[in-house]
Protein backbone atom coordinates (compact mmCIF):
# COMPACT_ATOMS: atom_id res chain seq x y z
CA UNK A 1 0.00 0.00 0.00
CA UNK A 2 0.95 3.66 -0.26
CA UNK A 3 1.77 5.69 2.83
CA UNK A 4 3.39 8.96 3.82
CA UNK A 5 6.36 7.91 5.92
CA UNK A 6 8.01 10.38 8.27
CA UNK A 7 11.75 9.96 7.60
CA UNK A 8 13.03 12.92 9.62
CA UNK A 9 12.22 16.55 10.36
CA UNK A 10 10.30 17.95 7.37
CA UNK A 11 11.06 14.74 5.45
CA UNK A 12 7.98 12.93 4.18
CA UNK A 13 8.32 10.03 1.76
CA UNK A 14 5.32 8.82 -0.22
CA UNK A 15 6.24 5.19 -0.67
CA UNK A 16 5.12 1.59 -0.93
CA UNK A 17 5.10 -0.30 2.37
CA UNK A 18 3.69 -3.72 3.33
CA UNK A 19 0.01 -3.96 4.18
CA UNK A 20 -0.29 -4.38 7.98
CA UNK A 21 -0.66 -7.98 9.12
CA UNK A 22 -3.57 -8.64 11.44
CA UNK A 23 -3.55 -10.54 14.71
CA UNK A 24 -6.67 -12.54 15.48
CA UNK A 25 -8.30 -9.72 17.48
CA UNK A 26 -7.43 -6.83 15.15
CA UNK A 27 -9.25 -4.96 12.38
CA UNK A 28 -7.91 -3.43 9.16
CA UNK A 29 -9.56 -0.23 7.93
CA UNK A 30 -9.22 1.27 4.47
CA UNK A 31 -8.75 4.99 5.03
CA UNK A 32 -11.18 7.14 3.05
CA UNK A 33 -10.37 10.50 4.60
CA UNK A 34 -8.06 11.77 7.34
CA UNK A 35 -7.89 15.23 8.83
CA UNK A 36 -4.65 17.16 9.20
CA UNK A 37 -4.19 18.13 12.86
CA UNK A 38 -1.81 20.67 14.35
CA UNK A 39 -0.30 17.85 16.41
CA UNK A 40 0.56 16.01 13.17
CA UNK A 41 2.23 19.14 11.85
CA UNK A 42 4.36 19.51 14.98
CA UNK A 43 5.46 15.88 14.77
CA UNK A 44 6.52 16.40 11.16
CA UNK A 45 8.26 19.75 11.62
CA UNK A 46 10.08 19.24 14.92
CA UNK A 47 12.40 16.51 16.29
CA UNK A 48 9.84 15.03 18.67
CA UNK A 49 9.86 11.40 17.47
CA UNK A 50 12.40 9.04 16.01
CA UNK A 51 11.65 8.09 12.38
CA UNK A 52 10.35 6.16 10.57
CA UNK A 53 6.70 6.63 11.53
CA UNK A 54 3.31 7.14 9.93
CA UNK A 55 1.21 9.83 11.58
CA UNK A 56 -2.43 10.83 11.12
CA UNK A 57 -5.28 10.09 13.51
CA UNK A 58 -8.51 11.87 12.47
CA UNK A 59 -9.50 8.85 10.43
CA UNK A 60 -12.68 7.60 8.80
CA UNK A 61 -12.88 4.62 6.46
CA UNK A 62 -14.24 1.17 5.66
CA UNK A 63 -13.41 -2.12 7.37
CA UNK A 64 -11.51 -4.25 4.86
CA UNK A 65 -10.52 -7.23 7.04
CA UNK A 66 -11.20 -8.60 10.53
CA UNK A 67 -9.26 -11.07 12.64
CA UNK A 68 -10.83 -14.47 13.31
CA UNK A 69 -11.58 -13.62 16.95
CA UNK A 70 -13.28 -10.29 16.18
CA UNK A 71 -17.03 -10.17 16.78
CA UNK A 72 -19.54 -7.43 16.05
CA UNK A 73 -17.68 -5.97 13.07
CA UNK A 74 -17.89 -6.91 9.41
CA UNK A 75 -16.01 -6.16 6.22
CA UNK A 76 -17.64 -3.22 4.44
CA UNK A 77 -18.76 -1.32 7.55
CA UNK A 78 -18.07 2.42 7.51
CA UNK A 79 -16.30 3.48 10.72
CA UNK A 80 -14.61 6.27 12.58
CA UNK A 81 -11.32 5.13 14.10
CA UNK A 82 -10.42 6.45 17.55
CA UNK A 83 -6.67 5.97 17.85
CA UNK A 84 -6.50 5.89 21.67
CA UNK A 85 -8.66 4.10 24.24
CA UNK A 86 -7.76 4.14 27.98
CA UNK A 87 -7.52 1.06 30.20
CA UNK A 88 -10.38 2.27 32.47
CA UNK A 89 -8.90 0.82 35.68
CA UNK A 90 -5.64 2.68 36.48
CA UNK A 91 -5.52 5.60 38.92
CA UNK A 92 -5.65 8.11 36.06
CA UNK A 93 -8.72 6.50 34.51
CA UNK A 94 -10.52 6.19 37.85
CA UNK A 95 -10.04 9.95 38.22
CA UNK A 96 -11.15 10.50 34.61
CA UNK A 97 -7.68 11.68 33.55
CA UNK A 98 -7.94 9.31 30.60
CA UNK A 99 -5.29 10.97 28.43
CA UNK A 100 -2.69 10.38 31.16
CA UNK A 101 -3.28 6.60 31.11
CA UNK A 102 -0.25 4.60 29.95
CA UNK A 103 -2.43 2.28 27.87
CA UNK A 104 -4.04 5.31 26.23
CA UNK A 105 -0.63 6.73 25.39
CA UNK A 106 1.11 3.54 24.26
CA UNK A 107 -1.50 1.47 22.42
CA UNK A 108 -2.54 3.16 19.20
CA UNK A 109 -3.51 2.48 15.63
CA UNK A 110 -0.74 1.89 13.11
CA UNK A 111 0.06 1.54 9.43
CA UNK A 112 3.57 0.28 10.08
CA UNK A 113 6.80 1.05 11.98
CA UNK A 114 6.38 2.41 15.53
CA UNK A 115 2.62 2.79 16.12
CA UNK A 116 1.84 6.50 15.65
CA UNK A 117 -1.74 6.80 14.45
CA UNK A 118 -1.22 5.55 10.92
CA UNK A 119 -3.95 7.57 9.20
CA UNK A 120 -1.59 8.91 6.53
CA UNK A 121 -1.77 5.61 4.66
CA UNK A 122 -4.18 3.63 2.52
CA UNK A 123 -4.88 1.20 5.36
CA UNK A 124 -4.61 1.39 9.13
CA UNK A 125 -4.57 -1.46 11.66
CA UNK A 126 -6.71 -1.17 14.80
CA UNK A 127 -5.32 -3.09 17.82
CA UNK A 128 -7.56 -5.51 19.69
CA UNK A 129 -7.74 -3.33 22.81
CA UNK A 130 -9.17 -0.48 20.74
CA UNK A 131 -11.53 -2.78 18.80
CA UNK A 132 -12.95 -4.30 22.00
CA UNK A 133 -13.35 -1.08 23.94
CA UNK A 134 -15.22 1.36 21.75
CA UNK A 135 -12.50 2.60 19.44
CA UNK A 136 -14.50 1.84 16.31
CA UNK A 137 -17.66 3.88 15.75
CA UNK A 138 -20.10 2.92 12.98
CA UNK A 139 -20.93 5.77 10.61
CA UNK A 140 -24.63 6.21 9.70
CA UNK A 141 -25.55 6.29 6.03
CA UNK A 142 -26.57 9.94 6.39
CA UNK A 143 -23.06 11.00 7.46
CA UNK A 144 -20.18 11.49 5.02
CA UNK A 145 -16.64 10.28 5.66
CA UNK A 146 -15.58 13.94 5.80
CA UNK A 147 -18.08 14.72 8.54
CA UNK A 148 -17.20 11.55 10.44
CA UNK A 149 -13.50 12.48 10.50
CA UNK A 150 -14.45 15.34 12.85
CA UNK A 151 -15.51 13.05 15.70
CA UNK A 152 -12.01 12.94 17.22
CA UNK A 153 -11.25 16.70 17.10
CA UNK A 154 -14.79 17.42 18.32
CA UNK A 155 -14.13 15.11 21.26
CA UNK A 156 -10.94 17.01 22.11
CA UNK A 157 -12.69 20.40 22.05
CA UNK A 158 -15.73 19.06 23.88
CA UNK A 159 -13.49 17.71 26.65
CA UNK A 160 -12.12 21.24 27.14
CA UNK A 161 -15.58 22.83 27.18
CA UNK A 162 -16.73 20.31 29.77
CA UNK A 163 -13.58 20.72 31.87
CA UNK A 164 -14.07 24.49 31.95
CA UNK A 165 -17.71 23.90 32.94
CA UNK A 166 -19.08 26.25 30.32
CA UNK A 167 -22.71 26.93 31.18
CA UNK A 168 -25.65 28.53 29.34
CA UNK A 169 -25.59 32.30 29.60
CA UNK A 170 -21.84 32.54 30.19
CA UNK A 171 -19.41 34.34 27.90
CA UNK A 172 -16.29 32.60 26.60
CA UNK A 173 -13.27 34.24 24.97
CA UNK A 174 -11.62 32.09 22.30
CA UNK A 175 -8.16 33.24 21.26
CA UNK A 176 -7.49 32.18 17.69
CA UNK A 177 -10.12 31.50 15.02
CA UNK A 178 -8.39 28.73 13.11
CA UNK A 179 -10.18 25.37 12.67
CA UNK A 180 -9.98 24.53 16.37
CA UNK A 181 -10.99 28.00 17.53
CA UNK A 182 -13.94 27.93 15.15
CA UNK A 183 -14.93 24.51 16.49
CA UNK A 184 -14.96 26.05 19.97
CA UNK A 185 -17.15 28.90 18.71
CA UNK A 186 -19.76 26.40 17.49
CA UNK A 187 -19.61 24.23 20.61
CA UNK A 188 -19.85 27.19 22.98
CA UNK A 189 -22.92 28.39 21.12
CA UNK A 190 -24.40 24.88 21.09
CA UNK A 191 -24.17 24.75 24.89
CA UNK A 192 -25.96 28.07 25.25
CA UNK A 193 -23.00 30.32 26.01
CA UNK A 194 -21.78 33.38 24.10
CA UNK A 195 -18.48 33.24 22.21
CA UNK A 196 -16.09 36.12 21.61
CA UNK A 197 -13.28 35.29 19.19
CA UNK A 198 -9.95 36.94 18.45
CA UNK A 199 -7.59 36.49 15.53
CA UNK A 200 -5.09 38.37 13.37
CA UNK A 201 -6.85 37.66 10.05
CA UNK A 202 -10.01 39.64 9.14
CA UNK A 203 -11.32 36.66 7.15
CA UNK A 204 -11.18 34.44 10.23
CA UNK A 205 -12.97 37.05 12.31
CA UNK A 206 -15.71 37.11 9.68
CA UNK A 207 -15.84 33.31 9.73
CA UNK A 208 -16.18 33.29 13.52
CA UNK A 209 -19.17 35.63 13.27
CA UNK A 210 -20.67 33.46 10.53
CA UNK A 211 -20.40 30.39 12.77
CA UNK A 212 -22.09 32.05 15.72
CA UNK A 213 -19.63 34.22 17.64
CA UNK A 214 -21.30 37.16 19.34
CA UNK A 215 -18.26 39.32 18.58
CA UNK A 216 -14.85 38.93 16.93
CA UNK A 217 -11.93 41.27 17.54
CA UNK A 218 -8.49 41.85 16.06
CA UNK A 219 -5.97 40.29 18.45
CA UNK A 220 -3.69 43.31 17.91
CA UNK A 221 -6.31 45.77 19.13
CA UNK A 222 -4.73 47.60 22.10
CA UNK A 223 -8.22 48.17 23.52
CA UNK A 224 -9.18 44.50 23.35
CA UNK A 225 -9.85 44.14 27.08
CA UNK A 226 -12.03 47.25 27.07
CA UNK A 227 -13.99 45.98 24.07
CA UNK A 228 -14.55 42.62 25.76
CA UNK A 229 -15.66 44.23 29.01
CA UNK A 230 -18.12 46.40 27.10
CA UNK A 231 -19.70 43.15 25.96
CA UNK A 232 -19.83 41.69 29.46
CA UNK A 233 -21.23 44.52 31.58
CA UNK A 234 -17.75 45.55 32.66
CA UNK A 235 -17.04 42.16 34.22
CA UNK A 236 -14.95 40.28 31.68
CA UNK A 237 -15.56 36.79 30.32
CA UNK A 238 -16.32 33.78 32.49
CA UNK A 239 -13.80 31.57 30.68
CA UNK A 240 -10.97 32.12 28.20
CA UNK A 241 -9.80 29.29 25.95
CA UNK A 242 -6.31 29.61 24.47
CA UNK A 243 -6.57 28.04 21.02
CA UNK A 244 -3.22 29.50 19.93
CA UNK A 245 0.19 28.98 21.61
CA UNK A 246 0.89 32.65 22.31
CA UNK A 247 2.09 34.21 25.56
CA UNK A 248 0.60 37.49 24.37
CA UNK A 249 -2.75 35.75 23.98
CA UNK A 250 -2.45 34.47 27.54
CA UNK A 251 -1.93 37.95 28.96
CA UNK A 252 -4.80 39.25 26.85
CA UNK A 253 -6.96 36.47 28.26
CA UNK A 254 -5.85 37.38 31.77
CA UNK A 255 -6.95 40.97 31.17
CA UNK A 256 -10.26 39.86 29.70
CA UNK A 257 -11.26 37.22 32.28
CA UNK A 258 -13.46 38.24 35.18
CA UNK A 259 -12.62 37.72 38.84
CA UNK A 260 -13.35 34.12 39.70
CA UNK A 261 -13.08 33.08 36.06
CA UNK A 262 -11.04 30.43 34.27
CA UNK A 263 -8.30 30.31 31.65
CA UNK A 264 -7.88 27.03 29.82
CA UNK A 265 -4.74 26.15 27.83
CA UNK A 266 -5.78 24.11 24.81
CA UNK A 267 -3.00 24.83 22.29
CA UNK A 268 0.39 23.26 23.05
CA UNK A 269 3.18 25.80 23.50
CA UNK A 270 6.79 25.24 22.40
CA UNK A 271 8.78 23.70 25.26
CA UNK A 272 11.09 26.68 25.46
CA UNK A 273 8.27 29.15 26.18
CA UNK A 274 7.95 30.30 29.77
CA UNK A 275 5.28 32.71 30.97
CA UNK A 276 6.21 34.87 33.98
CA UNK A 277 3.25 35.81 36.14
CA UNK A 278 2.77 37.38 39.55
CA UNK A 279 0.94 34.66 41.52
CA UNK A 280 -0.93 37.31 43.48
CA UNK A 281 -2.91 38.07 40.32
CA UNK A 282 -4.30 34.54 40.43
CA UNK A 283 -4.69 34.64 44.22
CA UNK A 284 -6.45 37.99 44.53
CA UNK A 285 -8.68 37.54 41.49
CA UNK A 286 -9.22 33.80 42.09
CA UNK A 287 -8.41 32.94 38.49
CA UNK A 288 -8.26 29.21 37.76
CA UNK A 289 -5.64 28.05 35.26
CA UNK A 290 -6.20 24.65 33.65
CA UNK A 291 -5.09 22.58 30.70
CA UNK A 292 -6.92 20.20 28.42
CA UNK A 293 -4.96 17.70 26.34
CA UNK A 294 -6.29 15.23 23.77
CA UNK A 295 -9.65 13.45 23.96
CA UNK A 296 -11.79 12.00 26.72
CA UNK A 297 -13.48 8.60 26.67
CA UNK A 298 -16.21 10.10 28.84
CA UNK A 299 -17.47 12.47 26.12
CA UNK A 300 -17.02 10.14 23.15
CA UNK A 301 -20.72 9.37 22.85
CA UNK A 302 -21.67 13.04 23.06
CA UNK A 303 -19.03 14.03 20.48
CA UNK A 304 -20.38 11.37 18.13
CA UNK A 305 -23.95 12.59 18.64
CA UNK A 306 -22.97 16.21 17.98
CA UNK A 307 -21.24 15.36 14.70
CA UNK A 308 -23.53 12.64 13.39
CA UNK A 309 -26.73 14.55 14.18
CA UNK A 310 -25.23 17.75 12.75
CA UNK A 311 -25.68 19.78 15.92
CA UNK A 312 -22.69 21.78 14.68
CA UNK A 313 -21.89 22.28 10.99
CA UNK A 314 -18.44 20.75 10.55
CA UNK A 315 -18.71 21.08 6.75
CA UNK A 316 -18.22 24.83 7.15
CA UNK A 317 -14.77 24.22 8.65
CA UNK A 318 -13.37 22.42 5.59
CA UNK A 319 -11.38 24.71 3.30
CA UNK A 320 -8.81 22.51 1.51
CA UNK A 321 -8.68 18.94 0.21
CA UNK A 322 -5.46 17.21 -0.88
CA UNK A 323 -4.56 13.75 -2.14
CA UNK A 324 -2.40 11.96 0.42
CA UNK A 325 0.58 12.07 -1.95
CA UNK A 326 0.56 15.87 -1.49
CA UNK A 327 0.77 15.78 2.32
CA UNK A 328 3.89 17.98 2.32
CA UNK A 329 2.00 20.66 0.38
CA UNK A 330 -0.93 20.37 2.78
CA UNK A 331 1.37 20.88 5.76
CA UNK A 332 2.91 23.92 4.08
CA UNK A 333 -0.57 25.36 3.46
CA UNK A 334 -1.46 24.87 7.12
CA UNK A 335 1.77 26.52 8.27
CA UNK A 336 1.46 29.41 5.79
CA UNK A 337 -2.34 29.68 5.48
CA UNK A 338 -4.19 31.81 3.01
CA UNK A 339 -6.94 34.04 4.46
CA UNK A 340 -9.44 31.28 3.61
CA UNK A 341 -7.52 28.30 5.05
CA UNK A 342 -9.27 26.43 7.84
CA UNK A 343 -9.49 22.63 8.11
CA UNK A 344 -7.48 20.51 5.65
CA UNK A 345 -8.54 16.98 4.71
CA UNK A 346 -6.48 14.31 2.94
CA UNK A 347 -7.55 11.45 0.69
CA UNK A 348 -5.44 8.29 0.19
Amino acid sequence: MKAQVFRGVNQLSYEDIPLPELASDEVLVQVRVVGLCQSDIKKIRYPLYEPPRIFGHETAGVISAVGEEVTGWQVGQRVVVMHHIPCMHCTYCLNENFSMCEVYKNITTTAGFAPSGGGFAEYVKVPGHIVRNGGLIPIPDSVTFEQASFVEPTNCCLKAVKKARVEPGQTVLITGAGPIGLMFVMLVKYFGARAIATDLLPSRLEKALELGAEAAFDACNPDLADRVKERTGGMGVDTSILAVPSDRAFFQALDCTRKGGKILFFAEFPDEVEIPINPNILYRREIDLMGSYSSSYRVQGLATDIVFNKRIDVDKLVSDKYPLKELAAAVERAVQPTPETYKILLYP
Side-chain angles (χ1 to χ4, degrees), residues 5-11 38-57 83-84 104-106 108 113-117 268 271 293-294:
V5 182
F6 170 71
R7 293 290 181 183
V9 175
N10 284 327
Q11 297 178 44
Q38 280 296 322
S39 66
D40 297 318
I41 295 170
K42 285 182 291 187
K43 293 169 186 175
I44 291 167
R45 291 176 58 85
Y46 299 100
L48 304 175
Y49 294 92
E50 287 294 323
R53 292 174 184 262
I54 300 170
F55 299 124
H57 59 272
H83 63 305
H84 291 301
Y104 179 97
K105 289 183 176 183
N106 294 320
T108 185
F113 309 109
S116 303
E268 183 178 10
D271 286 341
Y293 160 73
S294 195

Side-chain angles (χ1 to χ4, degrees), residues 318-329:
V318 179
S319 62
D320 298 86
K321 298 180 179 182
Y322 285 82
L324 182 62
K325 65 181 179 180
E326 296 180 14
L327 175 59

